[in-house]
Amino acid sequence: MTTIAAAPPTMSRTRIAIASFIGTAIEFYDFYIYGTAAALVFGKLFFPTFSALAGTLAALATFGVGFAAR
């Protein structure tokens, strides 16, 4: 008796494109929120001894390092 293995189910290209779009949208939204917080909050929160300008620049530099590493 010959047994034929069933082919694994394949995902359609449309489904793969939609899943990729959703994942990318979530990732960019997360980076957008982090960038907004870096500009408005993180300078005062993490660098309280710096001046307002220096704290914001340090927070944005940290954001830039994360963006470049990504």
Side-chain angles (χ1 to χ4, degrees):
M1 185 185 281
T2 305
T3 311
I4 299 174
T10 59
M11 295 179 69
S12 69
R13 289 183 185 199
T14 304
R15 188 170 176 188
I16 292 170
I18 290 171
S20 297
F21 174 76
I22 290 171
T24 302
I26 291 170
E27 181 182 0
F28 277 110
Y29 179 72
D30 178 53
F31 230 67
Y32 170 76
I33 294 297
Y34 183 79
T36 303
L40 300 176
V41 178
F42 292 164
K44 297 172 191 152
L45 185 66
F46 292 111
F47 307 103
T49 59
F50 291 8
S51 69
L53 178 63
T56 301
L57 288 176
L60 290 175
T62 305
F63 174 71
V65 169
F67 186 80
R70 186 179 123 217

